[in-house]
């Protein structure tokens, strides 16, 4: 089964327990305004150009037969209109300023690459994580990869928004879900993520009933969901769902903006939380639940 | 003891400060006239004079005594590149003819016998006139140090330090009798050697093992304080002086104090190993520099303590793998006891307690290039064969082998009293007195050579872009005329360090050729043990400057790869992939060598243990772990080309640091500052 991924990050230390490798898949049906991996939203390949890295050597201009790159007043202009995503400019750029995001790979091939670091997973009680993008948007590929990993005895994490209603079907092969919970108000959820909240809660319930385990990962975005009611709702959710082992509050960072620029899109910037605000929100959660909660 | 106050005093020092007493004493000694011609006699006469002249200085709440008076020097010392600040007519020429210090002193013997006892042994062992003469110099040196200690004891009494006064009436001349007197004895000698007689970078060797006989569980608090005092002392001897010191920032690292802890044979000394690390955390300064020995059977408590130290202490904290190094050393020809007790003399020179090894650096990439451009080389196979031949010649004609000249006049260095063999043979290290002569061959630029071989294979044989000779001409011309191919080779060709089988194999072939060339010398033809090491210290810049372009796309004058590391900026797959690549090197054939690994943020200690354990289980020999800090990020902003691999890892996000716009880099910088 072929899937579309952006990269495999080895020595991954923030996506589940121990030392891991994380597969970032491409494509996500959600359109969160603060998305930190905007190049993983679209399911098709994309040309990324990082102005910060470009040293204006002109190799890409010479290489591209479709007028993809030019310089106007010393500024690198990327014209994607006729780009056929051939990757020649990426190959020719000496400064890694160009990246073609998205490669088609067989699940078995991904497994082979993941197994390279098996000794490190074993010694650290780590394993592999499938993240993205939304892995459930490539359900069959994700399922096959998880099954292959489990057959090898690897610990598996699935980083998902819960979209698509089928998360529970994978319980058998997922040791730990990293469940991204964005917003507890249905209207705001729809507005900021582009999808309905209800099916996601259903999906969580099903996963819970099927005996799955998860870390609830809640990005706290100033001006979007930094409200006491939202934090209280998170706590209540944890009280209702024994599958939630830990509540991870994830502070907003604006690093996604640079990657949005690189694919020629715009992303809004939000402000950052102060330490006092962080302390406050954590206390709102801990006041309402015994489930462990922390900022990560 | 007020550690904070002591730190403040350190940071208040001016980097122009020098050892005023010492320089004055040397001036006076030389001005008095009648300076003996013979090095040994001159050295001892100067030492005797100096030991009556250095002030027995005590400051603040000094616990362990012994410090040098520092202040602005009355004159400018002449700076001689490569030789530091030299003093005209200096009576203390550097040992080894190259750099002073860099040896592991036999402090176990000091504590057991005292300098007086060691001198007595020499007197007893002396048979020939030369030996008797030498023993008498040793006796005079021991008495001179005894006099200095006595002056300190008087001063200690005056300031109500009874414990120190009592100890200094006995040590370092006599044997130590408790933990305090032991540490006091070691420190006074270490300080005299590091500051007064002009060497630098002395290794304490396995002080946990050496001090263990004085350990008492119920006295742990007191011991911790004593060790903390010792750790502070190591940072207090950073002043400028003649001979081999160099001008360094404050707190100074102009002389390093290496400390080997833990490992096989130190199991019983675990409480002392742990207390040493605790003391190092308490002072949180660059000295001493701990190196940690580790084996798969080391207790978890030790592994976790090491992980904490490597993540929190300043500077490079190195790990060594006993399971690899001990058998290597035995195979190379170390007696078993020495192999079990191996230490490092300096940042990366394998040794054993009570020994000094010689070392030197081979310009191996230069040799590889000369071979590549040789007329009879016309394909990859002939290149490899010719490189093997040339490498053998290079190893056998190595100047770094020159340890001493037995024909020379009698030498005397105080260090020799603490070296194995010198006492038994009643002969100075500079006259070949040591029990074993070892030479460490540092082989440099292995990744540059490996990547070059891999690039030739790909361009000429796999992709068939051009012929062997065409590529060679292009390399000779510094890739001029074909910038496209140059960029392809340099930036797109797979490089060592990314867990790519083909390239790693070539790098391993290159490393094996270099290492084997040194090893084959241990076949009985030479009276010295030749130890291969894959290490470049900081010479990869200097060596790179001297040579032309290499087939891996490196341009003329650019640095070659460092130690066992990939070419800067080319390991893009993260640390686990890097460690997989490095573990392919012939670690089972070398005696030392370095790998610097930088992690992007502090990890749970358990994770660091897993990382080190796994690398060592894969066969790795050594690893220096540092956590990315503000300085690294600043350096990355300044030299982005060297930091192409620096990855920002935040929950669910990954991006290369240098790709971010400046304001975001700044933000990460600020975050890092907060975290430190
Ligand atoms: S090839 Fe790379 S560095 Fe050169 S102009 Fe294009 S993007 Fe910039
Ligand atoms: S990917 Fe191909 S078509 Fe698109 S800009 Fe690059 S070279 Fe041109």
């Amino acid at each position: 089964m072929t899937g579309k991924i952006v990269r495999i990050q080895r020595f991954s230390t923030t996506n589940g327990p121990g030392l891991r490798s994380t597969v970032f898949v491409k494509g996500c049906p959600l359109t969160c305004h603060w998305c930190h991996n905007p190049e993983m939203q679209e399911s098709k390949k994309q040309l990324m150009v990082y102005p910060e890295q470009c040293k204006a050597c002109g190799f890409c201009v010479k290489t591209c037969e479709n007028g993809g790159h030019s310089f106007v007043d010393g500024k690198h202009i990327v014209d994607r209109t006729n780009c056929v995503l051939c990757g020649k400019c990426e190959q020719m750029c000496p400064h890694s300023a160009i990246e073609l995001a998205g490669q088609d790979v067989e699940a078995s091939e991904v497994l082979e690459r993941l197994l390279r670091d098996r000794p490190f997973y074993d010694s650290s009680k780590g394993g592999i994580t499938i993240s993205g993008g939304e892995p459930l948007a490539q359900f069959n590929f994700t399922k096959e990869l998880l099954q292959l990993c489990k057959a090898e005895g690897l610990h598996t994490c699935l980083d998902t928004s819960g979209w698509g209603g089928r998360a529970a079907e994978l319980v058998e092969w997922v040791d730990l879900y990293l469940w991204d919970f964005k917003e507890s108000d249905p209207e705001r959820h729809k507005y900021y993520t582009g999808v309905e909240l209800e099916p996601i809660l259903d999906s969580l319930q099903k996963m819970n009933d099927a005996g799955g385990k998860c870390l609830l990962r809640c990005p706290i975005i100033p001006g979007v969901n930094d409200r006491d009611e939202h934090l209280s709702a998170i706590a209540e959710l944890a009280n209702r769902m024994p599958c939630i082992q830990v509540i991870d509050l994830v502070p907003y960072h604006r690093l996604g903006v640079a990657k949005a620029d690189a694919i020629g899109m715009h992303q809004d910037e939000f402000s950052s939380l102060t330490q006092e605000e962080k302390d406050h929100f954590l206390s709102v959660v801990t006041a309402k639940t015994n489930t462990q909660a922390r900022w990560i | 003891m007020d550690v904070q106050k002591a730190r403040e005093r350190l940071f208040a020092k001016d980097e122009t400060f020098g050892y005023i007493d010492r320089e004055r004493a040397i001036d006076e000694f030389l001005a008095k006239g009648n300076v003996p011609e013979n090095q040994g006699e001159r050295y001892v006469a100067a030492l005797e004079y100096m030991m009556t002249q250095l002030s027995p200085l005590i400051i603040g709440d000094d616990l362990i005594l012994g410090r040098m008076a520092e202040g602005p020097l009355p004159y400018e010392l002449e700076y001689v590149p490569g030789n530091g600040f030299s003093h005209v007519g200096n009576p203390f020429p550097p040992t080894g003819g190259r750099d002073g210090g860099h040896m592991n002193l036999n402090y176990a013997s000091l504590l057991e016998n005292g300098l007086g006892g060691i001198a007595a042994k020499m007197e007893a062992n002396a048979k020939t006139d030369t030996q008797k003469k030498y023993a008498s110099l040793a006796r005079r040196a021991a008495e001179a140090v005894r006099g200095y200690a006595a002056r300190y004891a008087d001063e200690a009494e005056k300031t109500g330090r009874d414990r120190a006064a009592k100890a200094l009436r006995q040590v370092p001349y006599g044997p130590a009798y408790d933990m305090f007197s032991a540490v006091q004895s070691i420190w006074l000698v270490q300080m005299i050697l590091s500051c007064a007689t002009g060497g630098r970078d002395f290794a304490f060797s396995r002080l946990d093992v050496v001090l263990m006989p004085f350990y008492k569980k119920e006295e742990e608090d007191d011991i911790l304080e004593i060790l903390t005092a010792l750790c502070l002392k190591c940072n207090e001897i950073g002043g400028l002086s003649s001979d081999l010191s160099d001008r360094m920032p404050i707190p100074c690292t102009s002389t390093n104090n290496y400390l080997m802890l833990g490992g096989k044979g130190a199991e019983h000394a675990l409480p002392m190993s742990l207390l040493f690390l605790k003391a190092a955390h308490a002072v949180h300064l660059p000295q001493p520099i701990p190196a940690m020995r580790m084996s798969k059977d080391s207790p978890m408590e030790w592994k976790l303590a090491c992980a904490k130290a490597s993540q929190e202490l300043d500077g490079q904290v190195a790990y060594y793998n006993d399971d690899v190094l001990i058998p290597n050393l035995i195979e190379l020809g170390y007696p078993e006891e020495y192999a079990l007790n191996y230490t490092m003399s300096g940042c990366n020179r394998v040794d054993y307690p009570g020994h000094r090894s010689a070392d030197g650096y081979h310009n191996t990439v230069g040799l590889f290039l000369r071979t590549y451009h040789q007329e009879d080389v016309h394909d990859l196979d002939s290149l490899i064969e010719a490189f093997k031949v040339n490498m053998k010649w290079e190893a056998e004609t190595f100047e770094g082998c020159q340890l001493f000249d037995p024909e020379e006049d009698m030498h005397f260095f105080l260090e020799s009293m603490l070296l194995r063999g010198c006492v038994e043979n009643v002969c100075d290290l500079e006259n070949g007195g040591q029990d074993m002569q070892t030479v460490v061959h540092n082989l440099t630029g292995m990744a540059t050579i490996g990547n070059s071989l891999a690039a030739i294979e790909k361009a000429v044989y796999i992709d068939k872009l051009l012929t062997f000779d065409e590529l060679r001409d292009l390399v000779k011309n510094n890739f001029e005329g074909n910038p496209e191919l140059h960029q392809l080779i340099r930036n797109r060709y797979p490089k060592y360090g990314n867990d790519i089988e083909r390239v790693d194999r070539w790098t391993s072939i290159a490393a094996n050729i270099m290492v084997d060339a040194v090893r084959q010398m241990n076949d009985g033809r030479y009276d010295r043990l030749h130890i291969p090491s894959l290490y470049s210290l900081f010479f990869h810049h200097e060596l790179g400057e001297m040579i032309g372009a290499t087939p891996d796309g490196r341009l003329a004058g650019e640095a070659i790869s460092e130690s066992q590391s990939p070419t800067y900026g080319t390991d893009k797959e993260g640390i686990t992939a890097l460690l997989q690549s490095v573990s392919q090197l012939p670690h089972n054939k070398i005696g030392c060598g370095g790998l610097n690994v930088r992690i992007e943020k502090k990890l749970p200690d358990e994770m660091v243990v897993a990382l080190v354990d796994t690398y060592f289980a894969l066969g790795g020999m050594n690893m220096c772990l540092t956590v990315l800090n503000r300085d690294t990020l600043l350096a990355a902003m300044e030299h982005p080309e060297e930091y192409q691999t620096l990855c920002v890892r935040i929950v669910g996000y990954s991006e290369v640091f240098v790709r971010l716009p400046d304001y975001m880099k700044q933000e990460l910088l600020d975050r890092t500052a907060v975290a430190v």
Side-chain angles (χ1 to χ4, degrees):
Chain A
M1 176 83 211
T2 314
K4 190 158 263 133
I5 69 168
V6 173
R7 69 179 69 95
I8 297 175
Q9 185 194 59
R10 296 170 71 165
F11 189 62
S12 182
T13 54
T14 51
N15 297 309
L19 297 170
R20 313 186 76 80
S21 290
T22 300
V23 184
F24 287 98
V25 304
K26 193 151 168 46
C28 179
L30 278 67
T31 49
C32 305
H33 290 202
W34 56 87
C35 177
H36 53 235
N37 292 325
E39 83 281 25
M40 299 178 198
Q41 281 191 347
E42 281 242 17
S43 57
K44 57 179 206 315
K45 271 192 196 175
Q46 271 169 308
L47 183 72
M48 302 180 81
V49 182
Y50 293 88
E52 204 60 31
Q53 284 277 90
C54 173
K55 300 286 177 294
C57 70
F59 278 152
C60 57
V61 181
K62 264 198 267 172
T63 307
C64 180
E65 291 149 10
N66 300 311
H69 301 272
S70 60
F71 277 83
V72 178
D73 299 334
K75 202 173 174 284
H76 189 158
I77 306 292
V78 184
D79 181 356
R80 291 176 171 82
T81 351
N82 297 317
C83 172
V84 294
L85 300 166
C86 67
K88 284 186 191 154
C89 55
E90 179 195 32
Q91 278 300 307
M92 276 322 288
C93 175
H95 303 288
S96 310
I98 306 179
E99 186 183 331
L100 207 58
Q103 43 180 305
D104 295 315
V105 282
E106 286 296 320
S108 56
E109 199 186 321
V110 177
L111 174 74
E112 205 178 298
R113 282 157 70 181
L114 292 175
L115 284 174
R116 297 290 306 182
D117 277 345
R118 165 154 221 159
F120 292 98
Y121 314 147
D122 290 349
S123 65
S124 65
K125 300 198 178 70
I128 66 104
T129 299
I130 309 180
S131 179
E134 174 51 70
L136 294 179
Q138 300 183 48
F139 187 83
N140 292 335
F141 171 74
T142 299
K143 182 174 172 182
E144 184 182 334
L145 184 54
L146 285 168
Q147 286 174 332
L148 289 171
C149 290
K150 270 335 284 180
E152 288 289 342
L154 299 178
H155 180 275
T156 56
C157 285
L158 182 68
D159 185 1
T160 177
S161 65
W163 174 89
R166 299 182 68 184
E169 291 175 36
L170 300 174
V171 160
E172 193 181 329
W173 305 284
V174 177
D175 292 305
L176 187 64
Y177 290 83
L178 310 174
W179 199 285
D180 296 341
F181 184 67
K182 330 253 179 193
E183 174 58 76
S184 45
D185 175 86
E187 250 168 61
R188 286 170 164 272
H189 193 279
K190 171 85 184 154
Y191 176 76
Y192 281 111
T193 72
V195 303
E196 301 287 347
L197 173 63
E198 214 39 50
I200 283 179
L201 288 175
D202 278 355
S203 184
L204 182 61
Q205 183 73 56
K206 276 196 218 143
M207 188 273 283
N208 179 70
D209 299 347
K213 286 194 187 111
C214 81
L215 302 184
L216 198 70
R217 304 223 282 190
C218 311
I220 303 301
I221 318 295
V224 176
N225 59 9
D226 58 338
R227 309 180 314 278
D228 287 3
E229 311 87 79
H230 175 55
L231 278 299
S232 299
I234 290 171
E236 282 152 16
L237 192 62
N239 291 339
R240 280 208 309 280
M241 308 264 187
C243 68
I244 299 175
Q245 314 279 299
V246 178
I247 298 167
D248 282 342
L249 301 180
V250 185
Y252 167 74
H253 62 76
R254 52 185 178 178
L255 299 174
V257 175
K259 295 207 276 190
D261 281 349
I263 48 171
M265 280 173 38
H266 168 77
Q267 188 179 74
D268 290 340
E269 271 191 45
F270 301 86
S271 59
S272 299
L273 293 170
T274 64
Q275 189 56 48
E276 292 75 59
E277 287 170 319
K278 283 170 128 188
D279 294 345
H280 167 72
F281 290 133
L282 184 60
S283 69
V284 173
V285 177
T286 49
K288 290 240 160 75
T289 181
N290 291 327
T291 307
Q292 188 198 343
R294 63 190 177 192
W295 281 99
I296 58 170
Chain B
M1 203 173 23
D2 192 336
V3 176
Q4 197 44 39
K5 267 246 173 65
R7 285 174 56 101
E8 279 164 21
R9 265 200 305 275
L10 270 176
F11 285 96
K13 273 202 286 195
D14 186 309
E15 64 178 63
T16 60
F17 276 25
Y19 300 140
I20 35 177
D21 270 1
R22 176 196 192 261
E23 299 307 317
R24 178 182 52 78
I26 295 177
D27 286 342
E28 285 172 9
F29 172 75
L30 295 170
K32 277 196 310 159
N34 286 336
V35 176
E37 273 290 303
N38 172 266
Q39 184 275 329
E41 287 175 41
R42 184 168 69 240
Y43 179 103
V44 173
L47 179 68
E48 283 173 333
Y49 186 70
M50 190 159 4
M51 292 291 94
T52 64
Q53 295 299 312
L54 297 186
S55 346
L57 190 62
I58 299 174
I59 294 183
D61 54 2
D62 275 358
L63 184 69
I64 297 293
L65 303 186
R67 57 163 73 236
M68 299 291 285
E70 290 184 41
L73 290 171
Y75 46 74
E76 277 288 313
L77 290 166
E78 188 196 348
Y79 184 72
V80 183
N83 211 18
F85 294 88
S86 92
H87 196 114
V88 185
N90 173 26
F92 299 109
T95 54
R98 293 160 49 81
D99 55 347
H102 289 102
M103 62 184 83
N104 270 275
L105 300 163
N106 192 350
Y107 281 137
S109 163
L110 177 74
L111 300 187
E112 193 187 325
N113 306 299
L115 290 174
I118 295 170
K121 282 190 178 192
M122 286 176 156
E123 285 158 350
N125 291 336
K127 300 284 175 302
T128 67
D129 285 351
T130 316
Q131 285 176 319
K132 283 180 187 154
K133 182 87 195 298
Y134 188 80
S136 76
L137 290 181
R139 168 63 63 194
R140 280 170 59 193
E143 295 293 345
V145 174
R146 181 191 210 173
Y148 179 52
R151 291 172 54 226
Y152 248 118
D154 294 344
E155 202 61 28
E157 242 155 47
K158 277 188 226 155
T159 53
R161 290 171 163 83
D162 294 344
R163 180 153 75 155
K166 183 181 166 212
L168 284 159
R169 300 232 178 268
Q170 161 106 6
V171 299
Y173 188 81
Y177 50 86
D178 64 1
M179 185 64 80
F180 184 90
S181 64
V183 173
Q184 178 64 71
S185 180
I186 289 170
W187 174 247
L188 208 67
V189 172
Q190 180 95 352
M191 188 194 81
I192 291 170
L193 291 175
S194 307
C195 308
T197 62
R200 60 171 257 258
D201 292 8
F202 287 94
F204 283 121
S205 74
R206 310 185 81 180
L207 227 43
D208 48 359
V209 176
V210 168
L211 290 174
M212 193 58 197
F214 302 104
Y215 168 85
K216 291 198 183 97
K217 177 135 190 50
E218 64 279 12
E219 291 173 5
E220 275 215 355
D221 291 347
D222 184 40
I223 297 173
L224 180 59
E225 196 165 25
I226 294 170
L227 298 185
T228 307
L230 178 66
C231 290
L232 270 176
K233 284 282 161 212
C234 297
N235 293 281
E236 288 173 352
I237 53 169
L240 195 60
S241 71
S242 52
D243 317 320
L244 287 148
S245 301
D246 207 340
R247 211 180 285 262
M248 293 278 185
I250 301 289
C252 188
T253 50
S254 70
T255 183
N256 288 320
N257 298 263
Y258 298 101
L259 179 61
M260 186 59 108
L261 298 173
K264 288 204 167 134
E267 293 85 353
H268 67 292
L270 181 65
M272 283 302 290
S273 318
L274 293 170
L275 280 171
F276 258 116
L277 287 184
K278 260 197 188 163
H281 282 288
V283 301
H284 204 85
L285 287 164
Q287 303 292 333
I289 301 178
M292 273 99 65
R293 284 179 46 168
M294 191 81 68
S295 91
K296 60 178 184 322
D297 317 316
S298 296
M300 192 39 101
E301 193 183 3
W302 174 238
K303 291 181 178 176
L304 286 169
C306 293
K308 181 174 155 70
S310 60
Q311 295 205 91
E312 290 177 15
L313 291 179
D314 279 2
Q316 301 259 325
V317 180
Y319 289 89
Y320 290 92
N321 187 356
D322 281 0
D323 301 324
V324 169
L325 248 176
I326 294 172
N328 282 5
L329 291 168
I330 292 173
E331 211 193 306
L332 278 164
Y334 261 50
E336 224 163 285
E337 185 218 329
Y338 291 178
L340 183 69
N341 279 305
Y342 78 85
T343 55
M344 292 290 150
S345 289
C347 48
N348 217 319
R349 190 188 307 179
V350 72
D351 225 328
Y352 51 89
H355 189 258
R356 173 193 157 86
S357 179
D359 84 337
Y361 292 80
H362 288 275
N363 179 3
T364 26
V365 181
L367 183 80
F368 171 77
L369 265 186
R370 281 207 301 284
T371 314
Y372 181 50
H373 294 299
Q374 227 165 267
E375 258 177 33
D376 57 343
V377 165
H378 44 79
D379 58 17
L380 207 41
D381 289 343
S382 55
L383 170 58
I384 293 290
E385 286 316 308
F387 185 47
K388 280 185 191 162
V389 173
N390 291 349
M391 196 55 231
K392 251 168 108 172
W393 168 84
E394 161 80 18
E396 289 175 4
T397 56
F398 186 42
E399 278 180 19
C401 294
Q402 221 41 46
L403 269 172
F404 55 84
D405 182 358
E407 304 297 315
E408 259 184 280
D409 277 358
M410 189 177 63
H411 282 278
F412 179 85
F413 287 91
L414 184 56
E415 290 89 325
S416 296
M417 296 182 75
L418 297 169
L419 294 179
R420 286 172 203 271
C422 294
V423 179
E424 292 72 15
N425 301 325
V426 206
C427 178
D428 198 77
L429 90 151
E430 286 296 299
N431 293 108
Q434 293 199 87
D435 63 350
M436 194 162 83
Q437 310 298 343
T438 59
V439 185
V440 171
H441 294 247
N442 290 301
L443 303 156
T444 56
M446 158 213 94
T448 301
I449 301 176
N451 286 339
S452 292
L453 291 168
I456 297 171
E457 184 189 45
K458 184 166 161 64
V460 177
Y461 301 96
I462 300 176
D463 297 350
K464 299 194 170 57
L465 300 178
L466 71 184
T467 67
F468 187 86
D469 289 348
E470 284 166 352
L471 177 60
R472 184 157 62 175
D473 288 344
L474 193 61
V475 172
K476 196 171 209 156
N477 291 326
N478 207 19
F479 291 95
E480 268 160 36
N482 197 342
E484 282 83 6
L485 183 62
H486 175 241
Q487 102 74 17
L488 207 63
I489 291 180
R490 183 187 174 104
N491 302 303
R492 289 286 155 185
Y493 272 29
K495 297 284 185 308
Y496 159 77
N498 294 294
D499 194 16
I500 299 167
E501 206 269 334
R502 189 181 66 84
V503 205
D504 293 348
R505 182 165 38 81
W506 277 116
T507 306
S508 173
I509 289 172
N512 270 291
I513 293 174
M514 308 193 312
V515 165
D516 289 343
V518 175
R519 283 172 69 95
Q520 56 87 31
M521 293 170 75
N522 295 325
D523 59 358
R525 280 178 294 154
Y526 302 90
D527 56 359
R528 291 158 197 188
L529 193 64
H530 294 273
I531 301 172
S533 157
L534 294 165
Y535 188 58
S536 66
L537 189 58
F538 39 70
F539 293 114
H540 45 284
H541 291 288
E542 222 170 279
L543 290 168
E545 273 170 27
M546 295 161 27
I547 57 174
T550 39
D552 62 339
R554 181 194 139 275
L555 293 172
E558 286 186 305
I560 57 171
S561 66
E562 179 226 313
S563 299
Q564 299 175 352
S565 299
T567 301
Y568 285 146
T570 60
D571 51 319
K572 306 199 175 197
E573 291 291 322
I575 293 169
T576 51
L578 167 71
L579 295 179
Q580 301 265 16
S581 287
V582 185
S583 67
Q584 304 301 311
L585 299 174
H587 293 281
N588 57 344
K589 292 181 176 177
I590 56 178
C592 33
L595 175 70
N596 292 319
V597 171
R598 188 183 52 215
I599 49 178
E600 282 95 2
K601 64 183 180 73
K602 202 170 167 292
L603 298 175
D605 290 335
E606 291 77 13
M607 239 191 237
V608 172
V609 171
L611 198 67
V612 178
D613 263 353
T614 312
Y615 176 54
F616 281 1
L618 290 170
M621 193 210 69
N622 150 265
M623 167 161 154
C624 250
L625 198 83
T626 42
V627 182
L628 173 131
N629 55 26
R630 231 183 116 78
D631 291 345
T632 323
L633 289 182
L634 285 169
M637 288 172 82
E638 206 165 309
H639 304 285
E641 59 301 339
E642 286 185 18
Y643 291 88
Q644 295 291 324
T645 59
L646 190 64
C647 190
V648 183
R649 285 163 215 272
I650 302 177
V651 184
Y653 171 92
S654 92
E655 185 51 286
V656 179
F657 177 74
V658 293
R659 281 178 168 174
L660 298 169
D662 277 346
Y663 74 97
M664 286 188 189
K665 287 188 192 135
Q666 191 59 47
E667 190 172 297
L668 284 167
L669 200 67
D670 297 343
R671 274 196 194 204
T672 314
V674 174
V676 166

